[in-house]
Amino acid sequence: MTNNAETIKNIALAGHNGSGKTSLAEALLFRAGVTERLGKTEEGNTVCDFDPEEIKRKVSINTSIANFVTEGIKVNLIDTPGLFDFEGGMREGITAAGSVMITVSGKSGVKVGTKKAYKFAEKLGKSRVFIVTKLDDPNANFYNTLTELKTAFGPTVCPVVVPVIRDGSISSYINLIEMKAYKYNDKGEAVETDMPEGDIADKMDYRLDGLIQAISEAVAETDDELMEKFFEGTAFTQKELIDGIHKGVNAGKITPVIATSAESLAGIDMLLKEISLLLPSPLEVAKPVAEDKNGDPVEINCTVSDPLAAFVFRTTVDPFVGKMSYIKVYAGVLKSGDTVFDSTSGQNVKIGKLYNMVGKKQEEVDSANAGDIVVAVKTDISTSDTLCDPSRTVKFDAVQYPAPCYSMAVKAKAQGDESKISAGIAKLLEEDPTLKYEQDPSTTEQILSGLGDQHLEIAASKLKEKFGADVVLTVPKIPYKETIRKKVKVEGKHKKQSGGHGQYGHVWMEFEPTVGDELVFEERVFGGAVPKNYFPAVEKGIQESMKKGVLAGCPVVGLKAILVDGSYHPVDSSEMAFKTAASIAYKEGLKQADPVLLEPIGSLSVRVSDDKTGDVMGELNKRRGRMLGMNPAEEEGMTEILADVPVREMHDFATYLRQTTRGLGDFTFEFVRYEQLPANLVPEVIVSLSNDGE
């Protein structure tokens, strides 16, 4: 069955890790009749957490899709990870969604993950709903959580389904739109009960009439006629409430709050109803803007009659199925077997088989209409590619991923596995654009970068389990360098006699500091003391010697070498002899030229909440950072700190920042230059480098 845009809802589940996203998805699928039993994350049998790593770790690390039908509406539910190390998955899901249901644990309340999900959804103009979960827990407190939501996100927060608290536990749930109360039996089935009067919680923070007034005010804000009716004191009809909230949600003026318990299924039936009534379809959301072939912006209408415009928002690589591309169709119809134009790669591609997904379960379909989400298998496309009809070339903006900020060196456990590792990591990079893999040109180490230690640990585990490549992750080496600080003149003589032709090379060299990484070589020889045909050999001898300095064996930079004198033997002299003589002069000269170690320095831009700036600046001082300034960040309540910091001090900064800011801070760090390593650190570095070389 192919659905039209008016009967589709694309909804991302996002929120802090452990706030109940996957459990909520499980409850919705069960209540919608898709599954016959409730899976549990801790038992590793949920629909959306099917990856072996997710089952092993009992946590979501991938974005997955499960579709179901409720009230005649096809819902594409996109379950996203809450761990900050897998924020890329959350961003993929929210990018493809029309609405975002943000789960908030009634036990732990508003967390950093709640704010991150809300801010990213708001940035992309997505409708937002708060689902307060885990209300079956005796320590949960819905009304405390509601107060936190209002404090954190302002007056748009509007309760729609709320619990009635009696003697410290939930006695029933009220649907404030219907103005009906329901109790739930052991099977999670709703039974209508009497509406309470007055207080609905033991603490008199919230009264029923106050909640009704709040929802009426929110609805009145969406329409001039409704505002007039509100001021006249006339109660809104149920249809006016539904239409007003629907309009307000789509405009971002209302953020409904719905109370649920995934474990007991309480409130899940009402959530399904509100999904069909309150959340916008692809026809109602803001029209996506793409770029045409001339680079001009063009709005894309969600209609099957327009040429195809679709976007690849996620890729997975299955060792058995092959590449699976998750595609949001914005306009036209995507058909299996069709050849379409990939405007990102500039290639025509043939679309493979298409599937609707319920976790890992696949249901083959022939096509997907505008507004729908579908998975194509074995199709040569990548994440953030735009697929379009050749008659209208358009291109959507790429998914906005966080930049990698934590790096480790990758080594094969077994010799000969290097090709397996390269092939496996190439597949991982297709799946996860927040990973980066490159060779450090200075240390020749292969460096894998991601969003945190758990991110890289799981990447290494996937390499082993999926692609049979076992690796060891180690702290990357720091690419120290050496240079000199004063000018010297030294002699280098190589003389060897062993019967027959001997070896003879003799040079006088001057070494002095200069600017730049490359060797600056000059010759100022007078009277033919060293024949010109040996000059290149002298230069080559110095160049090859510069690969190792005299302090710690690091590459040498900032060196000027001048050949000023020497002597030769008409029979025993050779290019090799002069090359060796130059090397002898180099080693002696650098020892006398006040050699120093240089360390790489990076430019740091770190964003933290205003209340954490002092902590972070103090930490950067401990890490030998040089403060360059502070600026207000674009986001309210955030500050950008600019500093230059040695690379050797930054390896675990991502971990420190996450712990200090609880995940709210982020940073970028780029190498800018080399500076002299402080003298007190030189012995330690020399020892560590000599140990590395053993």
Side-chain angles (χ1 to χ4, degrees), residues 284-307:
E284 298 169 297
V285 301
K287 293 176 183 176
V289 176
E291 200 177 78
D292 66 17
K293 60 184 177 182
N294 299 318
D296 297 322
V298 55
E299 284 189 344
I300 305 298
N301 292 312
C302 185
T303 170
V304 294
S305 59
D306 275 6

Side-chain angles (χ1 to χ4, degrees), residues 464-649:
K464 182 180 179 180
E465 301 302 327
K466 275 189 170 185
F467 307 107
D470 210 352
V471 300
V472 178
L473 298 179
T474 58
V475 176
K477 295 175 184 175
I478 304 298
Y480 295 102
K481 293 186 178 179
E482 297 182 29
T483 193
I484 59 172
R485 294 198 297 181
K486 73 178 186 181
K487 183 176 180 178
V488 295
K489 182 177 180 180
V490 291
E491 180 185 24
K493 182 181 279 190
H494 176 61
K495 185 177 181 181
K496 197 171 183 183
Q497 196 71 39
S498 56
H501 279 309
Q503 296 179 34
Y504 185 86
H506 176 217
V507 295
W508 276 95
M509 303 289 305
E510 287 182 358
F511 294 104
E512 61 183 71
T514 188
V515 177
D517 289 350
E518 300 299 319
L519 169 68
V520 177
F521 180 77
E522 293 179 5
E523 52 79 20
R524 297 176 190 165
V525 179
F526 296 99
V530 178
K532 287 184 179 179
N533 56 310
Y534 294 132
F535 292 171
V538 174
E539 182 177 2
K540 191 173 183 183
I542 303 295
Q543 275 183 333
E544 290 183 1
S545 298
M546 284 176 65
K547 292 175 183 176
K548 284 194 172 184
V550 295
L551 279 178
C554 301
V556 173
V557 295
L559 183 66
K560 182 175 183 179
I562 308 165
L563 175 61
V564 293
D565 202 357
S567 62
Y568 74 102
H569 189 281
V571 176
D572 292 348
S573 287
S574 64
E575 288 188 358
M576 180 57 70
F578 271 97
K579 186 176 164 185
T580 306
S583 175
I584 292 168
Y586 164 87
K587 288 174 184 172
E588 187 57 39
L590 260 64
K591 288 176 186 175
Q592 300 176 23
D594 194 8
V596 291
L597 274 173
L598 301 176
E599 64 172 340
I601 304 294
S603 173
L604 174 71
S605 168
V606 55
R607 292 188 317 154
V608 295
S609 54
D610 294 343
D611 61 323
K612 296 294 181 185
T613 52
D615 292 340
V616 173
M617 288 176 72
E619 179 67 21
L620 291 175
N621 281 325
K622 290 179 193 172
R623 293 172 184 255
R624 299 189 290 121
R626 187 184 303 122
M627 295 302 148
L628 300 178
M630 288 168 52
N631 302 309
E634 287 182 12
E635 289 181 42
E636 191 177 340
M638 299 287 283
T639 296
E640 179 190 33
I641 301 170
L642 301 174
D644 283 350
V645 190
V647 171
R648 66 171 270 148
E649 307 291 346

Side-chain angles (χ1 to χ4, degrees), residues 408-414 421 446 460 469-474:
M408 293 292 275
V410 178
K411 294 177 183 174
K413 264 191 181 177
I421 292 169
Q446 296 297 138
D470 210 352
V471 300
V472 178
L473 298 179
T474 58

Side-chain angles (χ1 to χ4, degrees), residues 12-298:
L13 277 174
H16 198 77
N17 180 47
S19 61
K21 297 177 291 297
T22 301
S23 298
L24 180 63
E26 202 67 24
L28 289 167
L29 291 168
F30 178 76
R31 185 52 78 209
V34 175
T35 57
E36 295 180 355
R37 63 185 293 273
L38 274 174
K40 293 188 177 181
T41 303
E42 55 270 22
E43 294 175 7
N45 57 3
T46 62
V47 170
C48 292
D49 284 356
F50 55 86
D51 186 283
E53 289 293 328
E54 293 177 314
I55 294 169
K56 180 170 76 176
R57 297 168 189 272
K58 298 178 173 53
V59 68
S60 298
I61 59 176
N62 300 311
T63 290
S64 58
I65 293 183
N67 77 83
F68 61 87
V69 176
T70 180
E71 308 276 338
I73 302 288
K74 179 192 177 187
V75 176
N76 290 311
L77 194 64
I78 309 168
D79 184 22
T80 72
L83 287 169
F84 299 138
D85 278 18
F86 302 95
E87 187 179 333
M90 180 198 78
R91 295 191 179 201
E92 289 171 344
I94 292 177
T95 298
S99 309
V100 183
M101 295 199 306
I102 302 169
T103 54
V104 187
S105 166
K107 185 178 177 182
S108 53
V110 173
K111 295 286 189 182
V112 170
T114 319
K115 296 175 181 178
K116 278 195 165 189
Y118 185 93
K119 285 178 181 177
F120 192 70
E122 185 179 42
K123 182 179 179 181
L124 298 190
K126 309 293 183 177
S127 303
R128 301 168 294 282
V129 182
F130 287 118
I131 313 298
V132 181
T133 59
K134 303 191 176 185
L135 292 180
D136 51 276
D137 191 298
N139 295 315
N141 190 314
F142 173 85
Y143 290 101
N144 280 358
T145 303
L146 178 60
T147 302
E148 283 185 32
L149 288 168
K150 285 177 173 287
T151 303
F153 303 107
T156 67
V157 174
C158 176
V160 169
V161 175
V162 299
V164 178
I165 313 295
R166 292 288 181 258
D167 299 323
S169 61
I170 296 173
S171 64
S172 62
Y173 288 78
I174 301 174
N175 186 319
L176 293 171
I177 297 174
E178 296 179 358
M179 286 307 294
K180 290 181 180 178
Y182 298 92
K183 288 188 173 184
Y184 288 86
N185 61 23
D186 293 342
K187 295 180 180 179
E189 297 165 337
V191 179
E192 190 173 347
T193 187
D194 294 335
M195 283 285 287
E197 295 180 4
D199 300 333
I200 52 174
D202 293 336
K203 292 182 181 178
M204 293 164 42
D205 296 342
Y206 289 93
R207 292 176 59 86
L208 185 58
D209 52 2
L211 292 173
I212 295 167
Q213 177 77 1
I215 205 170
S216 299
E217 284 180 20
V219 166
E221 294 280 354
T222 65
D223 186 273
D224 290 342
E225 287 184 18
L226 293 178
M227 181 65 82
E228 195 173 315
K229 188 173 181 180
F230 175 73
F231 279 126
E232 288 172 357
T234 308
F236 294 135
T237 65
Q238 187 173 322
K239 185 177 187 311
E240 286 172 333
L241 287 172
I242 291 168
D243 290 347
I245 295 172
H246 181 98
K247 187 176 178 182
V249 168
N250 197 26
K253 293 180 178 178
I254 295 178
T255 310
V257 181
I258 298 172
T260 63
S261 167
E263 189 165 316
S264 68
L265 296 175
I268 299 298
D269 58 330
M270 286 192 271
L271 175 55
L272 285 169
K273 193 180 293 183
E274 307 314 345
I275 285 172
S276 64
L277 292 174
L278 304 183
L279 300 187
S281 73
L283 285 175
E284 298 169 297
V285 301
K287 293 176 183 176
V289 176
E291 200 177 78
D292 66 17
K293 60 184 177 182
N294 299 318
D296 297 322
V298 55

Side-chain angles (χ1 to χ4, degrees), residues 403-405 436 600-605 643-651 653 667-672:
C405 59
K436 187 169 77 171
I601 304 294
S603 173
L604 174 71
S605 168
D644 283 350
V645 190
V647 171
R648 66 171 270 148
E649 307 291 346
M650 287 295 293
H651 175 255
F653 184 72
F667 71 97
T668 57
F669 185 67
E670 291 182 357
F671 165 76
V672 286

Side-chain angles (χ1 to χ4, degrees), residues 204-439:
M204 293 164 42
D205 296 342
Y206 289 93
R207 292 176 59 86
L208 185 58
D209 52 2
L211 292 173
I212 295 167
Q213 177 77 1
I215 205 170
S216 299
E217 284 180 20
V219 166
E221 294 280 354
T222 65
D223 186 273
D224 290 342
E225 287 184 18
L226 293 178
M227 181 65 82
E228 195 173 315
K229 188 173 181 180
F230 175 73
F231 279 126
E232 288 172 357
T234 308
F236 294 135
T237 65
Q238 187 173 322
K239 185 177 187 311
E240 286 172 333
L241 287 172
I242 291 168
D243 290 347
I245 295 172
H246 181 98
K247 187 176 178 182
V249 168
N250 197 26
K253 293 180 178 178
I254 295 178
T255 310
V257 181
I258 298 172
T260 63
S261 167
E263 189 165 316
S264 68
L265 296 175
I268 299 298
D269 58 330
M270 286 192 271
L271 175 55
L272 285 169
K273 193 180 293 183
E274 307 314 345
I275 285 172
S276 64
L277 292 174
L278 304 183
L279 300 187
S281 73
L283 285 175
E284 298 169 297
V285 301
K287 293 176 183 176
V289 176
E291 200 177 78
D292 66 17
K293 60 184 177 182
N294 299 318
D296 297 322
V298 55
E299 284 189 344
I300 305 298
N301 292 312
C302 185
T303 170
V304 294
S305 59
D306 275 6
L308 174 70
F311 182 72
V312 184
F313 66 90
R314 172 163 169 70
T315 302
T316 61
V317 180
D318 188 288
F320 305 105
V321 180
K323 183 189 282 192
M324 302 176 70
S325 304
Y326 290 67
I327 301 169
K328 170 77 175 286
V329 184
Y330 283 107
V333 181
L334 183 69
K335 295 179 181 177
S336 175
D338 273 6
T339 297
V340 302
F341 182 62
D342 183 336
S343 61
T344 308
S345 68
Q347 304 292 319
N348 288 321
V349 293
K350 186 175 182 180
I351 301 298
K353 289 184 177 180
L354 298 177
Y355 295 95
N356 281 334
M357 305 296 290
V358 180
K360 65 180 177 182
K361 185 181 173 186
Q362 304 168 357
E363 177 197 346
E364 189 171 352
V365 293
D366 295 326
S367 62
N369 285 346
D372 210 349
I373 289 173
V374 73
V375 172
V377 299
K378 296 179 180 175
T379 303
D380 190 17
I381 49 180
S382 302
T383 302
S384 290
D385 281 4
T386 298
L387 308 177
C388 55
D389 191 294
S391 67
R392 182 180 69 168
T393 300
V394 295
K395 186 178 176 183
F396 293 105
D397 288 340
V399 179
Q400 300 173 29
Y401 289 105
C405 59
Y406 183 83
S407 300
M408 293 292 275
V410 178
K411 294 177 183 174
K413 264 191 181 177
Q415 275 192 331
D417 273 2
E418 286 78 13
S419 58
K420 273 189 192 175
I421 292 169
S422 296
I425 286 183
K427 297 272 176 37
L428 290 184
L429 295 179
E430 278 192 272
E431 287 190 332
D432 188 352
T434 60
L435 287 172
K436 187 169 77 171
Y437 187 63
E438 59 190 358
Q439 185 179 58

